[in-house]
Amino acid sequence: MKKLTTILISSLILLSCNEDRDITVKLGTGNQTDTGGGTPSTSVYYTPTKAMKDVSSFPIGIAMSQNQASSTNFATIAKKEFNSVTAGNEMKFSTHSPSQGTYNWVPGDAIVDFAQTNAMRVHGHVLIWHQQVPTWVTNFTGTNAEFETAIKTYVTDVVTHYKGKVASWDVVNEAFNEDGSLRSTIFSQRLGSNYITKIFQWARAADPTAKLFYNDFNLESNVTKANAVVSMVNANSSLIDGIGLQMHISITTPSATVLNTIMDNVVATGKLIHFSELDVLVNPTGSVSSYDYATAIAQKNKYKEVISIYKTKVPAAKRFGITIWGMRDVDSWLKTNGSGYTDYPLLFGDGYEYKLAHQGVIEALQQ
Ligand code: XIL
């Protein structure tokens, strides 16, 4: 009988884990703080006492969507925790200009309105990227000179539209391959290998006061690629104000050693540094079947580590900020990660619960 009861209880625990990953394994007292001597916490959530923006000396950003701009739950946390906003998709080429010479400003303006209502900075994302490009650009049939005129017009019109409202732009995104060579895109092919310089010149002319960034992924883990970006930035030093490291990372990568080395290299440019799209995968290899306490702690520690490194390496005057790429796990573009596994990359649970990862950010910011 005792054995049967044990089996039944075990099955129930397993069942509850499978049914609702947000509940997690609450076998202990539910204490939210590990006091050292007492029962260790088993909740992946906690009750915060501080908001991120209030304990940070640099802006803390959130990537958001037009839909979220009208969500009360989203707005409540956004204005409490964050003081900078990036549009997740609303300021991309395919959203802005579905056909040549015509513009849809509605989604981007909704993000700007949200930010202004809540006293948040707007970081513009993104002027030129090889993804989310309208077909009139990819299928352009005119000459290279006509293409250049069309792209210059687009960049000028977008930057002019948001002038005075958008503090900064990711001007060019993801232009390099992993081996440090220039990625071949419609822009490199049509505008030439010096196209990055041209785009920055057009953006600068349209808004001389906006801070202009080069933005890319894997810069935090690939030294070769990061060095290629550093060389390009140094070669265009008068045009480029900052470097955005996207920081789509995991609990295992990058190591602190690699990130420290790379930060030394990017900081040596003297440019503003933005961790522009931070999220931390917990399940890159599929080994995590539910978001349990050990996973939550590993994720908390990684958030804490990378933010500590940012503060240690980047001089205060060069800290443009850290932007988290979405609010709840369910909002994340990586809720199914690149390897096809369910993941939990962000700071808030699907019901806006504060994850321990948030506590890791607070701890790093307060150090
Ligand atoms: C992502 C968005 O979050 C998704 O909603 C969209 O489907 C694809 O793009 N690098 C970038 C971002 O610079 O624009 C991307 O955002 C994530 C990778």
Side-chain angles (χ1 to χ4, degrees), residues 87-89 92 125-126 129 131-132 170 173-174 215 217 246 248 277 325 331-333:
N89 291 296
K92 288 174 177 171
H125 175 83
V126 49
W129 185 30
Q131 291 188 26
Q132 296 179 265
D170 288 331
N173 194 30
E174 303 186 355
N215 195 56
F217 66 97
Q246 291 184 8
H248 297 294
E277 304 181 14
W325 205 244
D331 303 321
S332 171
W333 74 304

Side-chain angles (χ1 to χ4, degrees), residues 210-237:
K211 300 291 181 202
L212 304 183
F213 281 76
Y214 176 79
N215 195 56
D216 213 327
F217 66 97
N218 283 356
L219 298 186
E220 72 288 339
S221 55
N222 182 341
V223 180
T224 304
K225 187 175 186 178
N227 286 344
V229 168
V230 164
S231 299
M232 181 280 291
V233 168
N234 286 336
N236 292 280
S237 196

Side-chain angles (χ1 to χ4, degrees), residues 295-305 356-357 359-360 363:
T295 306
I297 290 294
Q299 187 178 46
K300 169 187 171 174
N301 290 339
K302 199 66 185 180
Y303 268 104
K304 186 172 176 178
E305 178 183 84
L356 294 175
Q359 192 178 40
E363 287 173 7

